[in-house]
Amino acid sequence: MTLSELVEASGVPARTIRFYISRGLMSGPLKAGRGAEYTPAHLERLERIKSLQAEGRTLSEMAPLLEPAAAATETASVAWRHYALGDDVVIQVRADLSPWRTRQIRAAIDEFARRIQTSGQGPEEE
Amino acid sequence: MSTTASFFAPRIGATGEPVKLAMQRLWLGGRVAPVGARLTVQHVFRSEEKQPIEVIYAFPLPREAALRAFRITGAGFEVDSELRPMEEAVRRYEEGIAQGSLAAMARNYGDGLVNLTVGNVRPGETVTVYLDIMAGAEPRDDGFRFRFPFTLAPSYHSLMRAATVDGEGELELPSDRFGDVILPRWRADASGLHEVGFDLSLLNPAPVDEIGSPSHSIRVKDGGARVMLAPARDVPDRDLVLDVKFKDTRPQVIAGPVGDGKRAFAAIVPSTSFGERKTAPRRIAFLLDRSGSMDGAPIQQARQAILACLALLTPEDYFTVVAFDDAVELMEDRLAAGDRGHRDKAAKFLRKVDARGGTELARGFLAAARMLEGGGDVFLLTDGQVFGTEDILAKARSAGVRISCLGIGAASQDRFLTLLGRETGGISRFVTPRERVDLAAVDLFASVGSPVASGLKAGQDVQPAPVQQVFPGTPVLVFGVTGCDSVDIEWDGGRTSLPIPDGDAETGATVRLLQGARLITDWESRYPAEAATGALEARKRNRVAARLVELSSTYGLASSEMALVAVVKRAGDRPGELPETRVVPVGVPQDMAFGSVFGAPGAPVQAALAAPLGRRRTPPSTGGRPLMPTVVPSAAKAPGGGLPAPPKPIDGLMDLAAQLEPDGGMPGRDDSARAKATAEAVLKFVEAGHTVTSGAFRTHVGRLVAFLKALTGLRAKDQELVDRAIHAAAGLQP
């Protein structure tokens, strides 16, 4: 689901969701950029935060309580980009990185590809 | 960035290391007049991070204030905000963020809190937001006081949660009652935070006698037309407080054309224009805030001030003393006559009142109102540090008593206490902990009780309606738009007509905006109580919301129903990029101990609910409750130097005032001794600048002099002393 769909489903404003992500209370969307995607796990996490708030917990108090669930969510749902540099080399890069980090890694892959490939072709993304 | 190295690069005081601040500068400019101010606040945001950021700056509105507009500028762009209904503003802001554009929104919440949010500030980018604010001033008969908040007081609510994270304090309010407002983090040491300062022009319609500030070191230029911060910069840990005193007391009207052959005007009519006060027996409840935040000098001063005020009571008056934190304690279960015996009993009660617990203000004044049985005055001494003020105001309106407030604090709750006073027919003052709280209390008390005029009426061009009663020392301020050449004010037994000057268009526009800000503030305070859920309350909420939309649209000012928003499309915007949130921290208000609210700085994460509160003064821990701030005398030298240390709470005059007998004289074994003691007391007051007509102790001096004048059959030597005292008290009249 999109951020606006997550907002509608949870009743939590978008700015607050970004605030929670920045504080590490929930993971970011599955993909960066236009296709940013949120899952039912994000919705569940927001409901859990609301529930803990209703119990009187502060955000800083609930962070350690939420951490295991956050890690599990990331492992289960994170998307990866595959760069096949040849029959014998495949590189995987997380798809939800920020654009500057994606550019940095892409440049490194290009450099790596040039070194290992004799045909002079760049890497192909699957 | 060489251009910003000295200007935009704060450093940590202890280490000298540069600090990465999302907001680097807050600078106040604009024009201040006795009727209000038109301000422009410059906020400089900069990202030193590797990803885009969304910066949230939370601040309280001054009294009678509203946001007018903002302009957002940066490299190659300059965009003005638009005023939009709240939902639409939020939607536009979020669309801007989703598109990767720079987006900014200024949004009002309850309690006069504002979140200024600027999203998608790119790495290395500097963005400046110039926010225009219309704000009220506190007019007095002989001048005015202007306050602007540079920080936010950590306040109390029974459902508030507090925590310490990385040495910074956090408060969280339940979203079902307070919406998605985000509060700042508080730092014990504000020296590493954004720099603040001011450069203001003053519009003084009368010759100025004195300009001063109890909060900051100031430089006055151009013969009093300009006031600026004396040092290069300051820190965000206290309000700016400016006092302007005029050479004389007279009505003032400022005005200007606003189209259609009409003029917008604001008129200040001093209380002295309404005649003399008629003496009548008082029914009064002294209501003392004994919450933890009053600890130290404020509660000592407040106690002593109440004793001095008690000395003004006569046996015909009836009074009580009520102390509150999260519990209420009464001196007696009914009103007592103002005789010596009951005053002594009140003194004994007060000696046992120390600071503790939270600030359940409504419980306090409702208990006082029950004692007064719906008729009389509540004289409240408080720091006013509470959230959920709309709920408290609703209860105050229905309590049926006048509440006059003396606020105490370095960070302003001025807006709330002004409303609490005005909406109940009382008056209010707000002082900093570094001023004489006791003197201010005595001064305010001298104004409370019988009004100098009642039943005020003004023409239908005046909005909002004028106050119903006028009290000594506090002028009447009215706003209006008219096609007439004068504004007429009537009251029981009198009337006055003030000519309206032509003025210029800029003044007319400013006055009209101040009128709008005042109306919006009044209506924002009228939302139904937060717990109200019935159909009647829902209808009332809708009515208030509709009126606020109408006012916002008419005056072009933001309110709880309409917000300011701007979106800037820049080359290279990346849709879908998720900015990191950064909340701008502020300093714990000067003279307030960080540990009394949040626990020791640098302590590991601690959190607790805020209520109910006990007597503990130790830092809170998980599951604990006592989280209200404590005011303590500070040994730290104020930035810029030259500011006075917190005053000593008690001096000889206050003790002297507390000794007045119900007949107005000083105690003594016989008439001769009483005459001598009374005359000597008068001379001491006069020597300190208090006469029958001026100074905080003017009422005391008046009663002492009346006692002396009534004496007969004195020995020649005593009579000579009495005559000298009477002459001195009268001879210093202005």
Side-chain angles (χ1 to χ4, degrees), chain B residues 5-176:
Chain B
S6 61
F7 202 61
F8 293 134
R11 289 169 185 274
I12 297 170
T15 63
E17 292 174 7
V19 179
K20 287 182 182 176
L21 294 174
M23 189 168 90
Q24 305 201 335
R25 187 174 202 246
L26 189 151
W27 213 261
L28 176 66
R31 195 159 71 151
V32 181
V35 299
R38 186 172 187 161
L39 307 167
T40 299
V41 190
Q42 180 202 46
H43 309 76
V44 179
F45 300 99
R46 181 173 169 80
S47 172
E48 301 281 4
E49 304 188 33
K50 291 177 179 172
Q51 69 283 324
I53 57 173
E54 181 176 40
V55 192
I56 301 169
Y57 175 55
F59 63 93
L61 285 171
R63 62 159 55 197
E64 293 148 10
L67 308 177
R68 194 180 80 81
F70 65 75
R71 173 169 291 182
I72 183 165
T73 69
F77 64 84
E78 185 174 292
V79 174
D80 290 329
S81 65
E82 295 176 38
L83 183 64
R84 289 282 179 265
M86 193 60 71
E87 278 187 25
E88 187 187 334
V90 172
R91 190 171 65 246
R92 286 170 67 107
Y93 174 82
E94 289 299 336
E95 285 170 359
I97 294 294
Q99 292 302 314
S101 304
L102 180 70
M105 181 169 64
R107 176 177 180 177
N108 288 26
Y109 291 88
D111 299 320
L113 289 173
V114 176
N115 273 182
L116 174 62
T117 310
V118 183
N120 279 336
V121 182
R122 290 175 178 167
E125 186 177 30
T126 298
V127 172
T128 304
V129 176
Y130 296 92
L131 181 60
D132 288 353
I133 303 178
M134 308 307 300
E138 180 187 316
R140 296 176 179 179
D141 272 359
D142 60 350
F144 67 95
R145 166 166 281 200
F146 170 73
R147 256 186 115 110
F148 185 84
F150 282 136
T151 186
L152 175 64
S155 299
Y156 170 85
H157 189 275
S158 59
L159 299 176
M160 173 186 88
R161 298 180 294 271
T164 306
V165 183
D166 302 330
E168 295 181 336
E170 284 188 339
L171 294 180
E172 292 170 22
L173 294 165
S175 58
D176 56 337

Side-chain angles (χ1 to χ4, degrees), chain A residues 13-71:
Chain A
R15 191 183 71 151
T16 307
I17 293 174
R18 289 192 294 274
F19 182 48
Y20 291 163
I21 293 171
S22 295
R23 290 197 59 148
L25 297 176
M26 58 189 286
S27 56
L30 294 189
K31 295 179 195 169
R34 261 185 218 280
E37 194 177 312
Y38 296 84
T39 68
H42 287 99
L43 184 56
E44 279 173 30
R45 174 52 55 92
L46 288 171
E47 294 301 330
R48 175 81 175 127
I49 290 171
K50 282 199 272 187
S51 163
L52 289 168
Q53 283 177 323
E55 291 172 15
R57 306 268 188 186
T58 65
L59 297 180
S60 48
E61 259 189 315
M62 67 178 73
L65 301 175
L66 293 168
E67 212 163 32

